[in-house]
Amino acid sequence: MKKLTYIILLISILSCNSKEPRKRVGKIQKQATEVFERQETELIIGERIDGPANILSKPNGEILFELYDNTLVEVNTKPENGWYQVLVYADIGYNEYGMDSILKNRPIIVDKDTIGKVLKSHFVSTGKGRNFAYAMLYGYTHKNNIKPETVIETIFKRNLAEQGRAFASWKGFIQTFKLDKGAVGYDQFDSFFNYENSIEDPSPGYRMVLLFEKQNLVGFIHSREIQISNTRMHKLNWSYYITFFDDYPEKEQMKFVDYMNEWVQGVD
């Protein structure tokens, strides 16, 4: 599993080039954003803010900070009455490591890019690497403030419905969400994967793994429930699901399920 320091570096290196802040909207619960026709070469990586958006202390709570449009955030797996908890790792001075609060009106900066602003002084935790330090900014935002076209499960279902299961039709999806190749050491499948975020687990496991056999999508591993017709979903001993399409032999399905149940026992 990837360690927290790697996750911080990944977010810092690949954080978005945020747009200049627009005039702040008065309502947090905006209408859901229409999914746009994205370019396949556009890198998404994770959920992004449809903003500017206010981040609150709790659902319908006090406003702690705002994030500008297209900011990359970590998002928990399930909303609470339409509200998601989000997390941003903000750059701070190395000598600020150990501070217990972040002050009002301070800009929120990630890799020299200003992605938001603190609107209320509040408690934060901090961490550091060899030559950098960061503050962890937690809060809640309404689900409508997350761009749906940046949620991998949403686009997965759309791509499946529109493009089918041939590997050639998934190349753009793999590139856009920057999926890595090779997961869980099962030679029968060609696999492409990404990781869950660290908001719930500092050493996150897989979020989604695409499983191809003979250039055809036969199934997928997922940490979040996805309902697809003409499939069979298996719940593993740990916090994973495996879904296979009905035309994939049941014997081969159960063989892989048994393999994965053993595999997860060895994961730290």
Side-chain angles (χ1 to χ4, degrees), residues 18-35:
S18 302
K19 300 176 183 178
E20 288 298 317
R22 303 195 304 254
K23 183 178 180 181
R24 288 181 57 208
V25 295
K27 294 182 179 180
I28 294 299
Q29 300 186 29
K30 305 188 296 297
Q31 294 296 316
T33 303
E34 182 179 356
V35 176

Side-chain angles (χ1 to χ4, degrees), residues 45-68:
I45 304 173
E47 286 89 341
R48 293 186 183 272
I49 289 291
D50 186 6
N54 290 332
I55 312 301
L56 282 57
S57 60
K58 60 182 180 181
N60 296 307
E62 295 181 296
I63 300 173
L64 299 180
F65 54 98
E66 70 173 351
L67 295 176
Y68 301 150

Side-chain angles (χ1 to χ4, degrees), residues 7-190:
I7 296 167
I8 307 304
L9 289 170
L10 178 64
I11 293 172
S12 297
I13 294 170
L14 296 174
S15 61
C16 63
N17 293 320
S18 302
K19 300 176 183 178
E20 288 298 317
R22 303 195 304 254
K23 183 178 180 181
R24 288 181 57 208
V25 295
K27 294 182 179 180
I28 294 299
Q29 300 186 29
K30 305 188 296 297
Q31 294 296 316
T33 303
E34 182 179 356
V35 176
F36 65 80
E37 292 299 322
R38 57 184 171 77
Q39 298 296 318
E40 288 187 344
T41 56
E42 181 182 356
L43 193 63
I44 291 178
I45 304 173
E47 286 89 341
R48 293 186 183 272
I49 289 291
D50 186 6
N54 290 332
I55 312 301
L56 282 57
S57 60
K58 60 182 180 181
N60 296 307
E62 295 181 296
I63 300 173
L64 299 180
F65 54 98
E66 70 173 351
L67 295 176
Y68 301 150
D69 187 57
N70 215 38
T71 293
L72 179 66
V73 292
E74 301 207 10
V75 181
N76 70 337
T77 56
K78 293 182 180 179
E80 179 181 335
N81 295 322
W83 293 82
Y84 279 108
Q85 187 179 29
V86 298
L87 167 63
V88 170
Y89 294 96
D91 297 344
I92 59 175
Y94 196 78
N95 62 349
E96 294 181 296
Y97 168 72
M99 70 182 192
D100 59 7
S101 63
I102 194 163
L103 301 182
K104 179 179 178 180
N105 293 326
R106 177 169 177 154
I108 301 171
I109 299 173
V110 174
D111 194 27
K112 299 181 181 180
D113 183 25
T114 300
I115 64 167
K117 183 179 180 181
V118 178
L119 301 179
K120 178 181 174 61
S121 299
H122 63 279
F123 171 81
V124 293
S125 296
T126 61
K128 65 178 179 179
R130 179 173 297 179
N131 57 1
F132 65 91
Y134 55 88
M136 292 174 279
L137 276 62
Y138 288 91
Y140 288 83
T141 197
H142 194 265
K143 63 181 182 180
N144 289 349
N145 291 331
I146 303 296
K147 292 185 175 183
E149 68 270 20
T150 66
V151 179
I152 190 170
E153 292 81 6
T154 299
I155 306 306
F156 172 83
K157 293 176 69 174
R158 189 180 78 175
N159 200 74
L160 182 63
E162 296 179 356
Q163 303 295 331
R165 294 162 51 193
F167 176 74
S169 67
W170 288 91
K171 290 181 179 179
F173 179 91
I174 291 167
Q175 180 181 0
T176 297
F177 285 94
K178 202 177 184 297
L179 303 187
D180 293 316
K181 184 176 183 179
V184 304
Y186 197 77
D187 294 336
Q188 187 168 329
F189 296 140
D190 292 321

